[in-house]
Amino acid sequence: MGRKSYNKDETRVNFSNGNGDVKKQRKLVVVIYQLGVWSTTHIPIIFYLLLSKTRQSPLHLLFQKRMRDFRKRAHSRSICFFIMTTGQLFSRTTQALFYNYKQLPIQRMLDFDFLCGRETPSVAGIINPGSEGFQKLFFGQEEIAIPVHAAIEAACAAHPTADVFINFASFRSAAASSMAALKQPTIRVVAIIAEGVPESDTKQLIAYARANNKVVIGPATVGGIQAGAIKIGDTAGTIENIIQCKLYRPGSVGFVSKSGGMSNELYNTIARVTDGIYEGIAIGGDVFPGSTLSDHILRFNNIPQVKMMVVLGELGGRDEYSLVEALKQGKVTKPVVAWVSGTCAQLFKSEVQFGHAGAKSGGEMESAQAKNQALREAGAVVPTSYEAFEDAIKETFDKLVEEGKITPVKEFTPPPIPEDLNTAIRSGKVRAPTHIISTISDDRGEEPCYAGVPMSSIIEKGFGVGDVISLLWFKRSLPRYCTQFIEICIMLCADHGPCVSGAHNAIVTARAGKDLVSCLVSGLLTIGPRFGGAIDDAARYFKDAYDRGLTPYEFVESMKKKGIRVPGIGHRIKNRDNKDKRVELLQKFARTHFPSVKYMEYAVEVENYTLTKANNLVLNVDGAIGSLFLDLLAGSGMFTKQEVDEIVEIGYLNGLFVLARSIGLIGHTFDQKRLKQPLYRHPWEDVLYTK
């Protein structure tokens, strides 16, 4: 079969035929992590077929054997593999989803984006369970509306290019929400800010992430930053600190630390003695970090822009020893300057728990002194104290500059960040927030747009009133049969004579000499449950009954028990033998053009039952429009169930009657003024005077 060779950390597989020709060759860098209590569910699916075209290939059989061997040897620990490829986690176009809305860290991210000259904000959307809509924030001087989603799945579907998940949930829900994010195919990196996440939950997150080639930063992390590209949450602190640390443009140093607070200190230190950092990560101080110091050092080693690495570890745990092994095996080819803090622990007589959960020396090997010595012996530059750390970084950087391996970055002045209102008031500079969000029209630019469609396009394409309503009310261009139906409803409902309450009020107001708007409003105020305002209720009740599978008998009798009249059923004039012609016209159009009329047919069945009770309990125009609009929304395929429910709840359908009847009310007002009718006084004989 040829020759093969491998070891547990790095596997290079060579297969040769009898003539010595090498058929295929691949190198897998495998990092083994200790995760705690063994579970076979933690074993990731590794490279089903890497090289071969058949499952019986030598390479495939070798990997099957290796996996079987690993399973047999495992007893009290999970073994997971993490493949480090290109090294890059972020770029200037990376976008993130922010979980659990926090105004200040999001605004700081957006201010950093502007400082770095990004064209698009790094926050694509916000996930705030139970809330939807938009959140207003600043991107430089421009105020932007960032979408807010109620669920992780909805946010990922709406923003498929956002591949970083920043989790600001509390420790109680951080694990569940992080796992939900990891299971989304669009998410590559999850940063967990919360401290106190249960270790068992963290192990599950780590196992799932490594099995699916994803990255977890944290828990208990402040996040990370790629200079000039993106920062996570509160990483690097205020804008003033970011500018002082030169984080608005990339440098040459890759930095990784367990401590978030010390990260800010080291960003400043590195900026003083080098050209600044290229990327900095705080992995978090918990016992089981989602990604380790060596993970990121190996990753930095694969990034061409990173010329040297700086590591700040701490006593407790053995994470630093994986970096020691990587250095010894030659996997890290760039200079590493490292320091493990906590050397003062030896001054205490008993074991001391420092600030982080993992900062507790459990033995000599976990002490800061032992780790520093191991790193020094493995080839890292390790100073004699933290005070000498800065000098060691400077000397390493200066040496690389002298060798021509680093060309120091040319400095430039970043753009100023506009001050917020309270600060600006004191300094005389103001950026005031807007008070209205509009998503249906925009009059900025050369011509107005309805739902993004320019006015000229509306005219050139021959759009009608129904098309304009579809753009301004539904924010989309509906099929022609839908807009025709809207126009038919407007025409049929424009007026119903001078005797109905709305027209009567408009006429009386006009004869009192009032202006057009007063007359129109006087008539519109009569629209409600008893006059023209039953369309929404008819749609709501018919939809609920149909969706629940109620028979007409069950529906009508249940409404009767509640003491509610069935909206859309009944007329003061029309009856079984004299049905409303408007209803017949609407039904005929729908049966001819609509893909489905299931709600209308259900309304007709209800009418057939109510007519057995009384001759005038016919389907009226409110019921016809309400049921047919449900068919329009459901049959067009352009609305989700949630959107249909929202349209009915908000009052869109009553809005159609209001729009249509306004035409008639205006007509009656003009008619009375044209006829110069005097002040109206109701005749005595039409009033019943009684004690």
Side-chain angles (χ1 to χ4, degrees):
M1 187 176 77
R3 60 184 184 276
K4 59 180 182 289
S5 62
Y6 51 82
N7 59 51
K8 68 177 182 179
D9 295 314
E10 181 176 305
T11 302
R12 183 183 297 272
V13 185
N14 294 331
F15 292 101
S16 301
N17 59 18
N19 298 324
D21 296 330
V22 177
K23 291 184 177 179
K24 305 213 175 177
Q25 185 182 75
R26 285 292 185 272
K27 179 178 179 181
L28 306 177
V29 179
V30 180
V31 181
I32 301 176
Y33 290 88
Q34 299 174 342
L35 295 179
V37 180
W38 163 257
S39 168
T40 55
T41 59
H42 289 167
I43 298 178
I45 299 173
I46 308 277
F47 297 110
Y48 192 60
L49 286 174
L50 281 177
L51 304 176
S52 59
K53 296 182 179 178
T54 169
R55 295 186 180 183
Q56 299 304 314
S57 70
L59 182 61
H60 181 84
L61 295 174
L62 172 62
F63 268 94
Q64 283 188 326
K65 180 179 183 301
R66 293 294 290 160
M67 286 300 294
R68 287 196 298 269
D69 292 342
F70 276 130
R71 289 192 182 98
K72 290 177 182 177
R73 290 197 302 269
H75 48 90
S76 64
R77 294 188 181 119
S78 268
I79 300 175
C80 280
F81 301 88
F82 185 58
I83 309 304
M84 286 296 181
T85 53
T86 62
Q88 291 281 6
L89 288 184
F90 314 110
S91 71
R92 284 178 60 84
T93 59
T94 297
Q95 286 194 299
L97 295 175
F98 196 103
Y99 187 89
N100 197 19
Y101 175 68
K102 305 288 183 185
Q103 192 270 339
L104 185 56
I106 297 177
Q107 186 58 66
R108 283 180 171 177
M109 288 180 67
L110 298 176
D111 285 344
F112 179 76
D113 296 341
F114 180 76
L115 192 72
C116 298
R118 279 184 59 128
E119 295 182 0
T120 56
S122 60
V123 180
I126 299 167
I127 304 164
N128 209 31
S131 301
E132 289 184 332
F134 293 89
Q135 186 63 49
K136 297 189 297 180
L137 292 153
F138 284 105
F139 185 60
Q141 292 182 326
E142 179 185 2
E143 193 173 32
I144 60 176
I146 297 181
V148 178
H149 305 275
I152 293 171
E153 295 77 9
C156 291
H159 310 284
T161 59
D163 56 6
V164 176
F165 185 84
I166 302 173
N167 195 344
F168 266 74
S170 70
F171 70 92
R172 289 177 291 272
S173 61
S177 50
S178 295
M179 182 61 78
L182 286 171
K183 290 182 178 180
Q184 301 304 308
T186 56
I187 298 299
R188 293 187 307 110
V189 180
V190 173
I192 307 171
I193 309 301
E195 297 182 16
V197 177
E199 291 180 1
S200 59
D201 292 341
T202 302
K203 292 175 186 177
Q204 293 180 20
L205 292 172
I206 294 171
Y208 187 89
R210 299 196 185 286
N212 292 275
N213 202 24
K214 298 192 177 187
V215 177
V216 174
I217 301 174
T221 180
V222 72
I225 186 170
Q226 182 169 316
I230 184 175
K231 85 183 192 86
I232 295 174
D234 288 318
T235 304
T238 65
I239 288 296
E240 291 76 17
N241 187 65
I242 288 171
I243 294 174
Q244 186 175 357
C245 296
K246 305 174 185 177
L247 297 173
Y248 51 84
R249 53 49 168 185
S252 304
V253 181
F255 171 75
V256 61
S257 166
K258 287 186 176 181
S259 171
M262 288 303 295
S263 293
N264 287 348
E265 177 67 26
L266 264 294
Y267 293 154
N268 194 292
T269 298
I270 293 170
R272 285 198 302 269
V273 297
T274 74
D275 61 0
I277 72 159
Y278 179 81
E279 182 179 328
I281 297 290
I283 65 171
D286 278 3
V287 178
F288 297 100
S291 51
T292 65
L293 298 174
S294 59
D295 282 343
H296 294 287
I297 290 299
L298 290 170
R299 190 168 59 78
F300 293 158
N301 197 64
N302 292 331
I303 299 176
Q305 296 92 328
V306 174
K307 306 300 182 182
M308 62 175 284
M309 284 87 84
V310 175
V311 181
L312 181 64
E314 64 185 21
L315 83 164
R318 301 194 176 188
D319 187 14
E320 289 80 0
Y321 288 104
S322 62
L323 176 56
V324 170
E325 290 302 311
L327 287 165
K328 286 181 177 180
Q329 294 171 14
K331 295 178 181 179
V332 181
T333 58
K334 299 174 182 178
V336 176
V337 183
W339 176 254
V340 179
S341 60
T343 53
C344 65
Q346 64 181 351
L347 301 176
F348 298 93
K349 294 181 179 181
S350 60
E351 190 175 76
V352 177
Q353 173 72 60
F354 287 81
H356 294 151
K360 181 179 181 180
S361 181
E364 178 60 29
M365 284 193 68
E366 295 185 11
S367 68
Q369 285 83 353
K371 292 181 180 182
N372 279 326
Q373 184 61 31
L375 285 166
R376 187 178 294 112
E377 292 174 355
V381 178
V382 181
T384 56
S385 66
Y386 179 79
E387 288 72 18
F389 199 20
E390 180 174 336
D391 289 338
I393 296 170
K394 183 179 188 303
E395 290 171 5
T396 303
F397 178 81
D398 290 344
K399 183 178 179 182
L400 291 172
V401 173
E402 290 175 5
E403 294 173 352
K405 295 180 180 180
I406 292 180
T407 302
V409 178
K410 185 178 180 181
E411 288 296 339
F412 68 92
T413 302
I417 299 294
E419 298 177 72
D420 288 324
L421 187 59
N422 292 336
T423 305
I425 289 175
R426 293 192 295 268
S427 63
K429 300 176 182 179
V430 176
R431 67 174 183 186
T434 60
H435 300 287
I436 294 175
I437 298 177
S438 176
T439 63
I440 64 170
S441 63
D442 190 345
D443 60 346
R444 300 168 300 174
E446 295 183 1
E447 61 179 326
C449 293
Y450 293 167
V453 180
M455 188 67 66
S456 58
S457 180
I458 292 173
I459 301 301
E460 291 166 2
K461 293 181 179 179
F463 282 9
V465 173
D467 298 288
V468 172
I469 292 173
S470 77
L471 292 173
L472 292 178
W473 289 17
F474 302 102
K475 295 174 61 176
R476 65 203 74 185
S477 185
L478 297 175
R480 183 55 187 153
Y481 75 86
C482 295
T483 59
Q484 282 182 308
F485 177 76
I486 292 173
E487 291 169 359
I488 291 172
C489 290
I490 292 173
M491 290 187 286
L492 295 180
C493 296
D495 192 51
H496 204 216
C499 299
V500 296
S501 58
H504 181 81
N505 265 26
I507 289 171
V508 171
T509 306
R511 291 178 62 168
K514 300 292 287 183
D515 61 279
L516 173 62
V517 174
S518 300
C519 299
L520 175 61
V521 171
S522 176
L524 291 176
L525 288 175
T526 64
I527 296 176
R530 298 182 181 179
F531 169 60
I535 300 178
D536 282 320
D537 284 339
R540 190 176 299 113
Y541 283 110
F542 282 144
K543 184 177 187 300
D544 178 69
Y546 178 87
D547 291 349
R548 289 196 293 138
L550 298 181
T551 65
Y553 168 81
E554 293 171 336
F555 171 49
V556 174
E557 295 304 320
S558 67
M559 295 288 283
K560 182 179 178 181
K561 289 180 181 179
K562 296 175 185 177
I564 303 174
R565 294 182 178 181
V566 179
I569 296 290
H571 203 285
R572 292 180 63 86
I573 299 175
K574 302 299 180 180
N575 54 49
R576 182 199 307 270
D577 302 315
N578 180 29
K579 290 187 176 182
D580 195 331
K581 187 68 175 177
R582 297 174 299 174
V583 173
E584 295 177 353
L585 291 170
L586 290 169
Q587 291 175 337
K588 180 180 178 181
F589 179 86
R591 286 193 174 102
T592 303
H593 297 91
F594 280 24
S596 170
V597 288
K598 60 182 182 180
Y599 290 107
M600 186 202 75
E601 295 296 356
Y602 182 78
V604 172
E605 293 175 12
V606 172
E607 178 192 46
N608 292 335
Y609 176 74
T610 56
L611 283 174
T612 64
K613 294 178 172 291
N615 199 39
N616 70 328
L617 294 181
V618 294
L619 183 67
N620 58 38
V621 71
D622 290 349
I625 293 176
S627 60
L628 285 171
F629 238 101
L630 290 175
D631 287 324
L632 182 151
L633 297 171
S636 68
M638 301 183 69
F639 300 90
T640 64
K641 181 181 182 300
Q642 181 181 356
E643 288 175 324
V644 172
D645 292 338
E646 187 177 53
I647 286 170
V648 175
E649 186 63 31
I650 289 176
Y652 275 49
L653 309 188
N654 280 350
L656 192 63
F657 183 86
V658 170
L659 174 63
R661 191 49 56 94
S662 294
I663 299 172
L665 297 178
I666 292 172
H668 285 295
T669 300
F670 289 157
D671 188 46
Q672 296 302 306
K673 290 183 176 293
R674 183 173 57 251
L675 295 172
K676 297 180 175 59
Q677 290 297 290
L679 178 68
Y680 176 82
R681 179 180 173 85
H682 204 71
W684 289 341
E685 57 267 29
D686 195 36
V687 178
L688 173 61
Y689 293 94
T690 179
K691 295 182 180 180

